[in-house]
Amino acid sequence: MEKMINIYLFGKKYEVPAGLTIMNAMEYAGYQLLRGCGCRNGFCGACATIYRIKDKQELHACLACQTEVEEGMYVATLPFFPLVKQIYNIEEIKPTEQIMMQLYPEIYSCIGCNACTKACTQELSVMQYIAHAQRGEYEKCAELSFDCVMCGVCSSRCPAGISHPQVAMLARRLNGKYIAPECGHLADRVNEINDGAFTSLIEDLMQKPVEELKELYNTREIEK
């Protein structure tokens, strides 16, 4: 007999098996997840969720696909965490400190509380990459924010209203467009794909079971 615990979804009490993720517990309770779920494996950031534990005041933010349910957990999902997304043409801007000041001036209001880093579902050094963005160090900002899944949990805890994921996205785009060295064989490889050189290989991969694909991915040769 599985151990059962009590949780509250949108204010209603449910008894679910211990050890389930919040997402699986919601489905166990009968919810059909049409939104707020994507990869189910911590990579897409679609399932950002807020919860607290009964008789405790602290509010937590997490990804529902990664976080296990606890006894007395009150859960509320949001369609998204609000972020400021500025519009720009990457062909028309340059990697200057002024462009970050122009598009995301709120980063200079950072008070150094580090709440963003503590909240990050990927355990990234969020406050540090914002510091790099402030100084126009876009290569360093891009490197530190590379694994960001754009869930927005960091921004939900920021007293300065910084849209950290969008700042990081701008830094990565500037780095890729203007700073990082050009990948010499990329254009050739794209042309080969367009010419059908890899069609049979792709079709062969599509027929393989998931476990075999994982093994191929984990043991692939990584170009230096």
Side-chain angles (χ1 to χ4, degrees), residues 83-87 104 163 166 173:
L83 297 173
V84 174
K85 182 180 180 180
Q86 300 294 355
I87 305 300
Y104 295 103
S163 294
Q166 295 297 342
R173 287 172 173 166

Side-chain angles (χ1 to χ4, degrees), residues 50-52 57-61 157:
I50 290 176
Y51 73 90
R52 72 175 182 85
Q57 299 303 313
E58 185 176 2
L59 198 62
H60 302 270
R157 307 304 295 270

Side-chain angles (χ1 to χ4, degrees), residues 89-108:
N89 186 338
I90 193 65
E91 303 291 342
E92 297 175 355
I93 63 176
K94 299 297 180 182
T96 63
E97 187 174 337
Q98 288 71 29
I99 193 61
M100 191 63 74
M101 186 179 297
Q102 175 186 333
L103 294 173
Y104 295 103
E106 64 273 13
I107 68 172
Y108 300 96

Side-chain angles (χ1 to χ4, degrees), residues 82-190:
L83 297 173
V84 174
K85 182 180 180 180
Q86 300 294 355
I87 305 300
Y88 52 85
N89 186 338
I90 193 65
E91 303 291 342
E92 297 175 355
I93 63 176
K94 299 297 180 182
T96 63
E97 187 174 337
Q98 288 71 29
I99 193 61
M100 191 63 74
M101 186 179 297
Q102 175 186 333
L103 294 173
Y104 295 103
E106 64 273 13
I107 68 172
Y108 300 96
S109 300
C110 175
I111 63 173
C113 67
N114 211 30
C116 52
T117 298
K118 294 176 182 177
C120 179
T121 58
Q122 303 299 98
E123 299 183 349
L124 304 181
S125 298
V126 182
M127 189 179 77
Q128 183 59 55
Y129 78 60
I130 291 297
H132 287 309
Q134 291 172 334
R135 297 191 290 268
E137 298 170 347
Y138 300 126
E139 186 175 10
K140 293 179 180 179
C141 180
E143 181 178 356
L144 283 182
S145 68
F146 186 80
D147 289 327
C148 174
V149 297
M150 307 291 287
C151 68
V153 169
C154 54
S155 297
S156 73
R157 307 304 295 270
C158 179
I162 298 172
S163 294
H164 310 76
Q166 295 297 342
V167 171
M169 178 64 76
L170 174 56
R172 292 196 298 275
R173 287 172 173 166
L174 289 169
N175 183 61
K177 175 70 174 176
Y178 298 107
I179 302 173
E182 183 178 349
C183 185
H185 63 267
L186 178 59
D188 293 338
R189 185 56 54 86
V190 171

Side-chain angles (χ1 to χ4, degrees), residues 6-7 16 24 28 41 53 58 62 75 80 94 106-107 113 119 134 143 146 157 159-160 190 192 197 208 213 222:
N6 297 309
I7 66 171
V16 301
N24 289 338
Y28 180 90
N41 208 26
I53 305 301
E58 185 176 2
C62 68
V75 177
F80 60 90
K94 299 297 180 182
E106 64 273 13
I107 68 172
C113 67
Q134 291 172 334
E143 181 178 356
F146 186 80
R157 307 304 295 270
V190 171
E192 290 174 354
K208 294 183 181 297
L213 288 175
I222 300 177

